[in-house]
Amino acid sequence: MNRATSVSTTFAIGGDLLVNRMGYGAMRLTGQPGNFGPYADWEAGQNLLRRAVELGVNFIDTAQAYGPGFNEELIASALYPYPSNLAIATKGGIDKPTPDNIRTNGSPENLRRGCEASLQRLKVDRIDLYQLHRPDLNVPFAESVEALAELQREGKIRHIGLSNVTLTQLEEAQKIVAFASVQNRFSIRDRTHADILNYCTQHNIAFIPYGPLDAHPLKHGTPLANAGGSLQEIGVRHGVKPNQIALAWLLHYAPNIILIPGTTTISHLEENIAAASIKLTNDEMQAASEFL
Ligand SMILES: NC(=O)c1ccc[n+]([C@@H]2O[C@H](COP(=O)([O-])OP(=O)(O)OC[C@H]3O[C@@H](n4cnc5c(N)ncnc54)[C@H](OP(=O)(O)O)[C@@H]3O)[C@@H](O)[C@H]2O)c1
């Protein structure tokens, strides 16, 4: 039957951290190029974060590596004291001494150091969702995961997340600890990690696709803003832009997807958040899936 698929607006991360599925990814509120240094217009960044919360966003994604540190500081400076329902997800395990020197370090000592620094910058006693930014090929994966489990036992982390992982790593991690989320790249244009998303859906683990508008992490703009084909056609029918259909498609694709589109402009923020209200029919989902 061709009717709008019913889509939940919320997801409970780890079974108990209830968030709106349209969140916000803060990475781009940093110095450019290289997401390095403080965001040039600190006050505009604060205003954007406050507007996101005002519009119902209660899940914000950041990382120690963004800035590094400055992105978490900006969030705290804009939103602390935090609304009681706001969940902040950060990540550790990547050090960034210069804009183009990105060093993965998933040693237990470095993860602990990173987590403690994030706790301070975010001004919280416990991080809602702490994600391993990327497995470190020089550290046994199990050791990094075990380090996060230890921080969780100590009460410094509420839920554990993983990012940039393979299916094999997910299966290994599941034997060590109950992790609550996976953050891998995924969008209507890049479905390379569909198997990982499916695994998460089956296990009721949140899947947080990064680059939901298929943007390059270090370049500005999204190739989906002016996408043609079925995305454009469906957009015209709904009176919205192709990139909004691309976000709505993700929300319809699986119930455990939480979106964190990144933007530096309030008009784009409003557009992205409005995409959460778009109802796609099964036929539209099918047509959008084939837009490439
Ligand atoms: N785990 C990881 O390794 C990893 C890697 C990369 C990113 N992330 C996370 O994922 C989040 C999202 O990723 P992302 O920012 O790279 O990619 P994205 O959300 O796919 O796209 C962001 C880009 O698209 C533009 N854009 C956003 N909304 C738009 C709109 N409505 N119309 C036109 N252009 C629009 C933005 O420019 P404007 O500023 O002009 O709007 C920005 O350049 C990040 O903030 C970060 O939290 C994680």
Side-chain angles (χ1 to χ4, degrees):
M1 192 185 301
N2 183 30
R3 57 171 188 204
T5 322
S6 162
V7 172
S8 170
T9 56
T10 58
F11 185 80
I13 300 172
D16 62 7
L17 183 62
L18 191 72
V19 298
N20 291 324
R21 293 176 63 211
M22 181 57 78
Y24 172 69
M27 178 185 79
R28 290 171 190 273
L29 299 179
T30 45
Q32 300 304 327
N35 302 322
F36 192 86
Y39 188 49
D41 192 341
W42 194 262
E43 202 182 321
Q46 290 177 314
N47 288 339
L48 188 133
L49 287 159
R50 291 182 187 131
R51 181 74 180 135
V53 169
E54 199 173 85
L55 291 172
V57 165
N58 64 2
F59 180 77
I60 297 178
D61 183 73
T62 178
Q64 168 196 305
Y66 305 160
F70 287 114
N71 198 241
E72 292 175 327
E73 279 174 23
L74 179 65
I75 291 170
S77 79
L79 301 173
Y80 184 85
Y82 302 114
S84 59
N85 68 343
L86 179 70
I88 299 175
T90 191
K91 314 180 194 82
I94 291 186
D95 296 335
K96 208 169 171 187
T98 62
D100 45 15
N101 185 356
I102 300 173
R103 293 188 194 157
T104 308
N105 184 345
S107 69
E109 306 73 43
N110 196 50
L111 289 172
R112 172 169 295 274
R113 213 171 19 246
C115 176
E116 283 169 358
S118 290
L119 282 165
Q120 284 202 355
R121 282 190 295 264
L122 290 170
K123 302 185 180 183
V124 293
D125 298 329
R126 186 177 65 158
I127 291 166
D128 298 309
L129 179 66
Y130 195 70
Q131 305 158 97
L132 180 67
H133 205 144
R134 180 197 292 165
D136 181 346
L137 300 178
N138 296 312
V139 174
F141 181 61
E143 273 183 32
S144 298
V145 175
E146 183 50 54
L148 298 187
E150 180 66 22
L151 290 164
Q152 188 181 44
R153 284 193 289 275
E154 290 172 19
K156 293 178 174 162
I157 295 177
R158 179 163 171 187
H159 290 297
I160 294 171
L162 302 171
S163 181
N164 296 301
V165 279
T166 64
L167 208 48
T168 310
Q169 286 164 336
L170 287 191
E171 284 161 355
E172 188 181 350
Q174 274 218 314
K175 292 183 192 139
I176 301 170
V177 74
F179 58 90
S181 70
V182 171
Q183 184 173 143
N184 274 21
R185 192 172 176 85
F186 190 80
S187 68
I188 195 165
R189 262 174 51 127
D190 180 354
R191 298 174 222 166
T192 314
H193 295 299
D195 56 341
I196 292 180
L197 165 56
N198 288 342
Y199 180 92
C200 292
T201 310
Q202 278 161 22
H203 292 84
N204 206 33
I205 293 163
F207 185 85
I208 308 166
Y210 73 75
L213 293 166
D214 199 33
H216 186 288
L218 298 174
K219 292 188 190 150
H220 189 75
T222 161
L224 292 173
N226 299 307
S230 57
L231 281 196
Q232 190 188 30
E233 281 162 32
I234 300 165
V236 167
R237 211 175 301 142
H238 287 261
V240 300
K241 298 191 177 158
N243 45 297
Q244 292 176 288
I245 298 298
L247 293 177
W249 180 88
L250 284 167
L251 291 174
H252 286 67
Y253 188 91
N256 57 323
I257 286 184
I258 298 173
L259 292 185
I260 49 164
T263 179
T264 54
T265 70
I266 287 192
S267 59
H268 287 169
L269 175 81
E270 292 174 349
E271 214 172 274
N272 296 343
I273 293 173
S277 309
I278 300 169
K279 302 266 181 286
L280 297 177
T281 64
N282 292 336
D283 284 355
E284 286 172 332
M285 276 301 285
Q286 186 63 35
S289 297
E290 289 162 8
F291 105 98
L292 282 177

